[in-house]
Amino acid sequence: WLVIDRKVYDVSKFSKHHPGGSRVISHYAGQDATDAFVAFHNDKSLVKKYLKSLLIGELAPDQPSFESNKKKSLLEDFRELRCTIEKMGLLRPNYTFFFLIFLHLLVLDAASWLVVWYFGISLVPFLVGMAFFTIAQIQMGWFQHDLGHCSVFRKPKWNRLLQIVVINVLKGLPASWWNHLHNQHHAKPNCFRKDPDLNMHPLLFSLGKTLSVEVSVGTAGEAKISKTGSCRVRVSCLQLAHYNVFSFFSSEKRRKSSCLTITSISISSVS
């Protein structure tokens, strides 16, 4: 179960049919998922129709709907900031901008092949074509990222359709795979073992001190020191035996961690 706007929903069976994947929901088991619900669903009125059959109760008046490790005033500030941004129209898409982005991607991709086809595969044409192709592929990754967030068109189906064209056809990767991982990333950003961007390859990478400090949230009210010297604090969380692990990055190690993360994502995309 999870909580949305202080209402409790049983999503055990529904999670298997959730369009965004079951893991996104399971990451919020026994927790308040209000902010994630608002962020992930554009048409909230439509989604709430499906929630009616899943409703099993409401939180007691004395029961807080936010996690004990989160500051209520900070959550309220972010919610107010989001409402202000929406009222200012900053989240409305600029169709001209995205059209020009898509057009220049097609031009760069076509130019990379035309250079090699017309001038041959000697060193200079090959390097020029490779430069065009590399820039196009990188920009396609960010463009399909915006499409995956449904930020280009107002209707999600048009975003999904163009995303399939960009990442499936032009980049050769499945959109469903990327969405499945990236939804988890935004559901639990920088949460160790829940954010796929932090899942390092167990045989090729060692996390070391970069991810040594972890705070586990569960039902057992105890704290203990691990062998590596990192402190793991376990506290009550809506009275459910479900654990969240949050990692804190040291500033001097952040650059190294980012490099490892990017390399790990590249390996997972190939496999």
Side-chain angles (χ1 to χ4, degrees), residues 15-119:
S15 62
K16 299 178 182 178
H17 308 284
H18 182 235
S22 60
R23 290 189 179 181
V24 176
I25 291 184
S26 65
H27 289 339
Y28 279 93
Q31 302 175 25
D32 184 273
T34 303
D35 293 316
F37 176 82
V38 173
F40 276 90
H41 303 93
N42 293 329
D43 193 349
K44 299 173 185 60
S45 59
L46 175 63
V47 180
K48 287 183 178 180
K49 294 181 180 179
Y50 294 92
L51 290 178
K52 291 181 179 180
S53 60
L54 306 177
L55 181 65
I56 59 175
E58 295 186 5
L59 293 179
D62 59 340
Q63 177 67 44
S65 60
F66 58 92
E67 305 303 319
S68 58
N69 62 308
K70 295 181 180 179
K71 192 175 181 180
K72 183 179 179 180
S73 59
L74 186 61
L75 290 175
E76 292 176 348
D77 287 343
F78 272 103
R79 291 171 181 174
E80 183 180 355
L81 177 62
R82 179 182 176 85
C83 292
T84 302
I85 291 176
E86 288 180 342
K87 291 179 181 179
M88 294 174 64
L90 299 180
L91 299 182
R92 286 196 295 264
N94 187 326
Y95 296 115
T96 303
F97 169 79
F98 285 115
F99 172 76
L100 293 176
I101 289 291
F102 186 49
L103 180 62
H104 105 273
L105 295 179
L106 296 178
V107 171
L108 284 174
D109 191 64
S112 65
W113 295 102
L114 288 174
V115 167
V116 176
W117 173 77
Y118 186 79
F119 294 100

Side-chain angles (χ1 to χ4, degrees), residues 197-198 200 204-211 249-264:
D197 287 7
L198 300 182
M200 301 299 179
L204 300 180
F205 298 98
S206 175
L207 298 180
K209 296 181 180 180
T210 307
L211 296 176
F249 298 80
S250 59
S251 59
E252 66 271 12
K253 297 291 185 178
R254 185 169 298 175
R255 182 177 302 176
K256 180 180 179 181
S257 173
S258 300
C259 179
L260 290 178
T261 303
I262 294 173
T263 307
S264 177

Side-chain angles (χ1 to χ4, degrees), residues 40-43 46 91-93 95 146-163:
F40 276 90
H41 303 93
N42 293 329
D43 193 349
L46 175 63
L91 299 182
R92 286 196 295 264
Y95 296 115
D146 292 338
L147 291 167
H149 279 283
C150 297
S151 301
V152 179
F153 301 103
R154 294 184 182 274
K155 294 186 177 181
K157 65 177 182 180
W158 293 113
N159 288 281
R160 301 303 183 198
L161 181 61
L162 188 55
Q163 184 192 27

